[in-house]
Amino acid sequence: MPMFTTATGWVLETARSGYALGFNQAGLLTHRYWGPRLPHPDDYPSPPNPPGWASFNNPAQLTPEEFPGVEDLKFTEPCLKLSFADGVRNVVLRFDAAAVSEGETPELQLTMRDTVYPLLATLHYRVHTAYDLIERWVTLTNEGDTPITLERVFSAQWHLPPGDDYRLTHVTGRWLDEMHLRHERLDLGCKVLESRRLTTSHHHNPWFALDRGQANEDEGEVWFGALAWSGNWKIAAEVTDFNSTRVSIGLNDWDFAWQLKPGESFSTPACVAGYSRAGFGGASRLLHDYVRNVVLPHGQQPHKVLYNSWEATTFDVNTSGQIALAEVAAAMGVELFVLDDGWFHGRNNDTAALGDWWPDAVKFPDGLTPLIARVNALGMEFGLWVEPEMVNANSDLYRAHPDWVLHYPTRPRTEARNQLILNLARPDVQDHLIEKLDRLLRENNIAFIKWDMNRNVSEAGWPAAPGEQRELWVRYVEGVYRVWGTLRQRHPRVVWQSCSGGGGRADLGILRFADQIWVSDNTEPNARLGIQEGFSYIFPANTMEAWVTDMGADYLPLSFRFHVSMCGALGVGGHLLRWSESQRAEAAHWIARYKAIRPLVQQGDLYRLRSPQTHAFSAVQYMAKDKSAGVLFAFRTHLPLPSQLPPLCPRGLDPEARYEIEGVEGVRSGAGWMYGGISVELGDFDSTMRMVRRV
Ligand code: GLA
C-alpha cells in the first residue's frame, strides 16, 4: 500500500522504500523513518520526543522536523523564514488537516497553520511508487489582510537515519569543465551548495546523494534527491551536535524576498528524493526512469541523430553553405540538421543582433524556407538555435526597449559575451518572446529548437517592479517556464534542447520543457568521458546530447570519438566538408550501428562499470529492461607502461539466462559473465563496443 495512516502519523511506501512522518507530543511535524520498506505498519518508529539539553537547547533543537519554521530555542536550518506585517519573525506551524488522494501517484497533503497569524502552509508529499521517489513541495497562503514577507521557503528538509558520519556526493565544475564528482565526509556544521547565477549553473547542480561512506556502484544504501528548478537554488547539508544529519533543499534565500499579499499563495518548486540499496548505480537508474517516464515531454520518443553546424561554420552561415553540409550529413545517415548561431538579422559575430529573431536578409535572402525545404527533401528534419533571454546592446530590440533588461538605473550595465539579460520576470517581455518565437515556429518547418543562455547575472535590478524587486529571482524563472511552456503547448511536436554555454542549465525543472541537454561546450572526447559520467549520476542517456566534432581528431581514432558520443543521444558537429570519403563512410557505419543500439542506450538501464573520472580504463553498459540485450563500451585513454587491464564485469544480466558477448568465445550464464568478467585488450586511446545478447 503506497500510503497509510498509523496511530502516530503517516507512512508513504514505494516499491522498495518506506518514509514515515507524524506529529509528536509537542505538536511538531516530525520525521520518523526513511529507509527500506518494512513488513508491518507498526514496524515504523513513532515520532520522537527528544528531551532538551540544559537551558541552551530545548527539545525542538533535537527534533527532526519535516518543515521547520522559526520558534523556540531551535537553531538548525529552518525551511521557512518570514516577517509578518507587525515585525514578528517567528513562524509557528501546527497541524490543521490531512488529506490523502489515491491514484497512480498518491498524494498526502498536510495543512498546517500558524498558531497566531493567518498563514496556511500546505505540505505536499507525492509518492512515485515504481521509482522509490517521494516528491515534496509546499504552498503558503496568506489568509489575512496584511502582507507577509517571505525570506526563505525551502521545498523540503530530508532527514537521514540518526548518525553524523555520512558522505555527500555532488557534482561541481565550470564552463567547459562540468560535472566532476565529489565525495566528501560531512562533518559537524553546514555544507552549502548553491547557485546565485539566476540559472542552475555549471558550477554545482541541485542534486545530492548521501551514503554512510561504503556504498559503491552496485551496493549500499544511498539517499539522493534533486530539485526541479532552473534558477537560484540552495542545498544545505547539516550535521548537528546531536548526532543528526539532514539536507534542506529549495529556492536560494540569497537576496530573495517575496511579498505574500492578502489572499495570495506561493508555491515552491518540487524536490524528489529517493532511497536505494543498490548503490549509486541503483540510485541513478531510479532517477533515469523517473525522468524518462514522468518528467520529459517526449521521454519515450527515440532522439534523432543530429548534425549541428556550429563548430564547422560558426557565424558564417548561408543557404548554400548549410546545404552543402546538409547533403553530406544526410548521406551519412543524420536525421536532424541543426542550424546554430549566426542565422538572424545582423548576426555576424557575437557583438550584435541577439533579440532580432528573424532571418538575416543577406545570408538568407529568401528566409529559411529554401534551406529547410532542401533539408527536408534530403530526408532530415530541421532544427534551429535561439537565445531568447538575451539581447545585444547593438540590436533593434535593445534600441527600442533599453528598459527591458535587468539593470540598476544608477549603475553601468555589465556585459558578458557582449550581451545583457532581458528581464523575463516582466510579462511584456514574455509576451514579446512568445510572439516572436511562435511566429518563427509557425512560419518555418522546425522540428527542434536549441535554447541557449550564454551568460550569468550581474545587476539584478528591476526598477519598474510592481512590488518587491527581489521577487525577480523566482519570477524570472517562472517567466522562462511560461514562455517555453506556451510554445511547447502551441507546438507540441517540437523537441527542445536546453543549453547554457554547455551544461549551465541542466535540471529536472527545465526537463519538463526540454528533452535534451547540451552537456558541455567541451567536445574533446577524453574530457567528455568524465563529463558524461558525472551527468549520468542524475540524468538518463536520452537527454545527453553528445556530438562527434573535430576535437581530438589529431590523436583519437574516429571510432573512439563515435563510441564516446554513442553513449548518449548521438550527434555530429565536425566540419563534414573537410572529412575524407573514408571518414564519412566510417561515420555512416557508426551512425547505422547507433541506430541499432539506440533503444538500449536511450531507454535501457545504465551501469557504470569503471569510472573515467578515476581510471584511464573505463567502461559503461546499457541493458534492455527485459535483460534480453545490451551494449558495453570500454575506453582506454593513456596508461603508462607496463599496464595490465583488469577484467570487466558486466552488470544487469539475468543470472540464469545464457548470453553471448561480442568478441568473446562461447556462451555463458548471466552469472558467469557478471562474476567471471571478460578481458578486453585495448591500446592507448582505443575503445571497443560489444553487444550482449541473450541466446
Ligand atoms: C554557446 C553554445 C554553443 C553554441 C554557441 C553559439 O556557447 O553552448 O553550442 O551554440 O553558444 O554562439
Side-chain angles (χ1 to χ4, degrees), residues 59-204:
Q61 172 74 2
L62 281 72
T63 305
E65 278 189 77
E66 286 279 307
F67 192 74
V70 177
E71 62 172 298
D72 208 322
L73 272 74
K74 181 172 174 108
F75 307 96
T76 45
E77 287 291 330
C79 281
L80 183 58
K81 171 82 185 64
L82 52 74
S83 297
F84 292 108
D86 61 1
V88 167
R89 301 182 306 285
N90 272 20
V91 51
V92 180
L93 298 172
R94 293 294 180 270
F95 180 65
D96 180 59
V100 171
S101 59
E102 301 292 345
E104 212 181 308
T105 46
E107 191 181 315
L108 169 68
Q109 282 186 20
L110 292 177
T111 309
M112 299 173 72
R113 284 180 187 282
D114 187 89
T115 50
V116 172
Y117 293 85
L119 173 70
L120 193 78
T122 307
L123 277 52
H124 303 262
Y125 292 82
R126 187 177 282 170
V127 183
H128 295 278
T129 314
Y131 314 107
D132 292 323
L133 291 174
I134 293 172
E135 181 181 3
R136 289 179 61 181
W137 73 101
V138 175
T139 306
L140 299 173
T141 304
N142 181 353
E143 296 189 326
D145 49 20
T146 52
I148 301 170
T149 305
L150 307 177
E151 292 158 8
R152 168 190 287 187
V153 198
F154 284 159
S155 301
Q157 191 164 97
W158 301 97
H159 293 267
L160 280 293
D164 59 4
D165 202 12
Y166 285 91
R167 177 174 66 164
L168 172 69
T169 298
H170 59 103
V171 287
T172 172
R174 49 200 172 144
W175 176 71
L176 222 55
D177 192 22
E178 298 89 340
M179 294 284 168
H180 291 274
L181 287 157
R182 287 281 179 274
H183 309 279
E184 56 189 88
R185 183 173 172 255
L186 277 183
D187 216 335
L188 286 176
C190 201
K191 163 87 186 180
V192 172
L193 302 168
E194 63 180 339
S195 167
R196 300 179 178 185
R197 293 168 180 264
L198 185 63
T199 181
T200 326
S201 114
H202 302 83
H203 294 253
H204 298 283

Side-chain angles (χ1 to χ4, degrees), residues 12-68:
L12 317 177
E13 285 188 337
T14 68
R16 287 154 293 246
S17 75
Y19 186 99
L21 65 163
F23 287 91
N24 73 358
Q25 287 162 9
L28 301 177
L29 180 61
T30 311
H31 181 71
R32 292 164 52 195
Y33 177 85
W34 191 18
R37 180 175 166 156
L38 302 176
H40 304 291
D42 35 354
D43 289 335
Y44 293 95
S46 300
N49 294 293
W53 191 271
S55 59
F56 293 97
N57 297 278
N58 274 0
Q61 172 74 2
L62 281 72
T63 305
E65 278 189 77
E66 286 279 307
F67 192 74

Side-chain angles (χ1 to χ4, degrees), residues 270-328:
C271 164
V272 289
Y275 167 80
S276 170
R277 297 173 81 174
F280 293 100
S284 299
R285 288 186 289 277
L286 290 170
L287 266 183
H288 295 173
D289 286 344
Y290 169 73
V291 169
R292 277 189 297 236
N293 298 339
V294 180
V295 180
L296 295 175
H298 305 100
Q300 309 301 321
Q301 187 174 302
H303 290 318
K304 296 193 155 41
V305 177
L306 69 75
Y307 176 74
N308 179 301
S309 61
W310 168 247
E311 292 191 23
T313 46
T314 62
F315 300 100
D316 189 14
V317 294
N318 57 44
T319 308
S320 59
Q322 295 299 299
I323 286 178
L325 285 163
E327 282 169 351
V328 181

Side-chain angles (χ1 to χ4, degrees), residues 322-652:
Q322 295 299 299
I323 286 178
L325 285 163
E327 282 169 351
V328 181
M332 283 172 17
V334 166
E335 300 160 306
L336 167 68
F337 181 88
V338 183
L339 171 60
D340 208 280
D341 200 347
W343 61 269
F344 46 98
H345 175 66
R347 183 71 164 175
N348 296 312
N349 50 51
D350 67 12
T351 62
L354 289 173
D356 298 343
W357 300 114
W358 59 93
D360 184 77
V362 179
K363 298 175 181 182
F364 298 96
D366 302 311
L368 297 175
T369 306
L371 171 60
I372 297 178
R374 182 68 188 131
V375 164
N376 292 158
L378 288 165
M380 297 184 292
E381 290 191 320
F382 179 79
L384 195 63
W385 178 96
V386 292
E387 194 178 358
E389 297 149 86
M390 297 293 150
V391 68
N392 289 113
N394 183 5
S395 66
D396 288 1
L397 181 66
Y398 187 75
R399 281 183 282 274
H401 299 285
D403 55 324
W404 274 11
V405 299
L406 298 180
H407 70 285
Y408 294 122
T410 53
R411 304 272 180 209
R413 302 173 181 199
T414 306
E415 295 188 2
R417 209 195 188 203
N418 310 302
Q419 56 202 58
L420 296 161
I421 303 181
L422 288 174
N423 184 355
L424 265 84
R426 292 175 61 130
D428 52 355
V429 174
Q430 297 164 18
D431 291 341
H432 169 83
L433 289 176
I434 290 170
E435 197 270 312
K436 281 279 172 291
L437 297 173
D438 181 50
R439 172 180 296 192
L440 204 58
L441 287 164
R442 268 189 289 110
E443 291 178 354
N444 298 285
N445 186 20
I446 293 172
F448 179 93
I449 293 268
K450 171 174 174 178
W451 179 311
D452 209 340
M453 187 210 196
N454 276 313
R455 62 161 289 181
N456 289 151
V457 71
S458 50
E459 295 75 30
W462 179 6
E468 168 58 69
Q469 276 205 43
R470 285 170 293 178
E471 293 178 9
L472 170 90
W473 301 107
V474 172
R475 291 197 186 274
Y476 180 97
V477 179
E478 287 176 344
V480 172
Y481 289 165
R482 179 176 164 244
V483 174
W484 209 321
T486 307
L487 295 166
R488 267 208 42 69
Q489 223 171 11
R490 292 190 192 167
H491 305 276
R493 284 209 295 278
V494 173
V495 169
W496 301 76
Q497 180 208 116
S498 168
C499 174
S500 177
R505 189 151 57 190
D507 59 77
L508 266 53
I510 214 67
L511 287 177
R512 287 178 294 139
F513 307 97
D515 279 284
Q516 294 179 210
I517 287 172
W518 181 228
V519 183
S520 178
D521 277 346
N522 190 344
T523 54
E524 198 284 329
N526 295 310
R528 196 76 187 194
L529 281 173
I531 294 171
Q532 294 186 173
E533 182 196 19
F535 188 86
S536 80
Y537 271 67
I538 316 171
F539 306 106
N542 66 333
T543 65
M544 187 175 83
E545 229 181 88
W547 312 342
V548 178
T549 67
D550 296 326
M551 295 284 290
D554 307 343
Y555 50 90
L556 291 171
L558 193 57
S559 53
F560 186 107
R561 288 149 56 205
F562 262 95
H563 287 160
V564 172
S565 294
M566 288 164 81
C567 291
L570 175 66
V572 179
H575 200 320
L576 297 183
L577 301 180
R578 296 186 189 148
W579 287 24
S580 66
E581 276 308 324
S582 72
Q583 284 171 322
R584 292 179 194 173
E586 187 181 342
H589 163 77
W590 290 120
I591 289 172
R593 288 215 68 183
Y594 179 75
K595 288 176 184 168
I597 61 162
R598 172 160 49 192
L600 297 172
V601 173
Q602 294 192 4
Q603 296 296 330
D605 284 332
L606 173 132
Y607 294 87
R608 293 174 290 255
L609 306 186
R610 283 179 65 83
S611 162
Q613 292 197 11
T614 48
H615 303 290
F617 172 52
S618 66
V620 63
Q621 182 199 338
Y622 304 82
M623 277 307 286
K625 290 277 173 196
D626 67 1
K627 299 184 183 297
S628 61
V631 59
L632 183 157
F633 292 92
F635 302 91
R636 171 173 167 167
T637 55
H638 172 63
L639 268 178
L641 295 173
S643 65
Q644 202 177 4
L645 303 185
L648 287 177
C649 292
R651 289 280 173 257

